[in-house]
Amino acid sequence: MFPRALRDTRFITATVLVAATVVLVGQLLNPPQLVVAASGPGGDVTTVGSYFTYRDVGIIAVAACLLGASGTALLLDRRSDSSADPDRSRVATDGSSDGRGSDDLLETRRQEWEEQADELGTTERVVYEAVLDADGVRPQREIVDETDLSKATVSRTLDSLESKALVERKRRGTGNVVMLL
């Protein structure tokens, strides 16, 4: 029903920001002048000065509030920054609504990961497959428990896998979560 640009709240917020700025600047730079005229034989018309009416003050207040609110909304809008959410899955979806596209993508990624595992040494393969068995994301302590390797061996092996850009560790509380790349 509405054009795509009008459905995007960032576009509407930016439009409100610009409009509020124009109104605010226009009102502040052009205050109405107060003219006093005296009637009678020596009557004179004099401009006393520039004063804002209550209506002008109301317009300025509303424009300033809209300017602040829209500016804050644009600054805090995190939709455009994909790295803003650290818990976001590393596997992207293709936008299909039934979820089958993401299953296909996960299966494709799994095949790539399995091919990668075949090229690794013994300890690296054990740790890599432990993460692979959890669909690519697993806490580091679970890897230690499952593989019966020491914490130091798992840590050194993960260092090696990270240097090869095969896994990534993210700090979560007191431990790490390991994700396949």
Side-chain angles (χ1 to χ4, degrees):
M1 179 175 174
F2 291 108
R4 183 179 182 97
L6 292 179
R7 287 183 295 200
D8 187 8
T9 57
R10 289 177 290 182
F11 176 77
I12 294 170
T13 306
T15 303
V16 169
L17 178 84
V18 170
T21 302
V22 169
V23 169
L24 187 62
V25 168
Q27 285 290 320
L28 290 175
L29 291 179
N30 298 313
Q33 293 186 347
L34 183 60
V35 178
V36 176
S39 61
D44 194 17
V45 175
T46 311
T47 302
V48 176
S50 300
Y51 295 96
F52 290 106
T53 63
Y54 288 119
R55 178 179 170 273
D56 296 329
V57 171
I59 291 171
I60 291 170
V62 169
C65 289
L66 287 172
L67 179 68
S70 59
T72 302
L74 287 172
L75 285 174
L76 297 178
D77 185 19
R78 302 181 83 177
R79 285 183 299 173
S80 61
D81 185 11
S82 62
S83 66
D85 186 6
D87 293 326
R88 183 172 294 213
S89 171
R90 305 292 283 172
V91 178
T93 62
D94 66 350
S96 64
S97 60
D98 60 1
R100 279 182 276 162
S102 62
D103 290 342
D104 293 341
L105 183 59
L106 181 61
E107 188 59 35
T108 303
R109 292 291 291 157
R110 179 175 278 286
Q111 289 173 356
E112 292 173 4
W113 292 332
E114 288 172 355
E115 290 171 7
Q116 208 49 291
D118 293 338
E119 300 172 7
L120 298 173
T122 307
T123 308
E124 289 177 337
R125 179 180 295 151
V126 169
V127 172
Y128 192 84
E129 287 178 348
V131 180
L132 181 61
D133 291 341
D135 289 332
V137 178
R138 175 167 256 169
Q140 185 171 339
R141 63 180 155 65
E142 287 183 12
I143 298 170
V144 172
D145 294 340
E146 181 184 307
T147 60
D148 293 328
L149 297 172
S150 70
K151 289 180 183 180
T153 301
V154 170
S155 182
R156 282 193 308 268
T157 304
L158 288 171
D159 288 340
S160 173
L161 291 171
E162 276 186 314
S163 70
K164 295 177 181 179
L166 298 175
V167 299
E168 179 181 12
R169 282 184 279 193
K170 296 274 187 178
R171 182 58 110 180
R172 295 290 182 266
T174 59
N176 291 326
V177 174
V178 181
M179 295 182 288
L180 296 182
L181 297 178

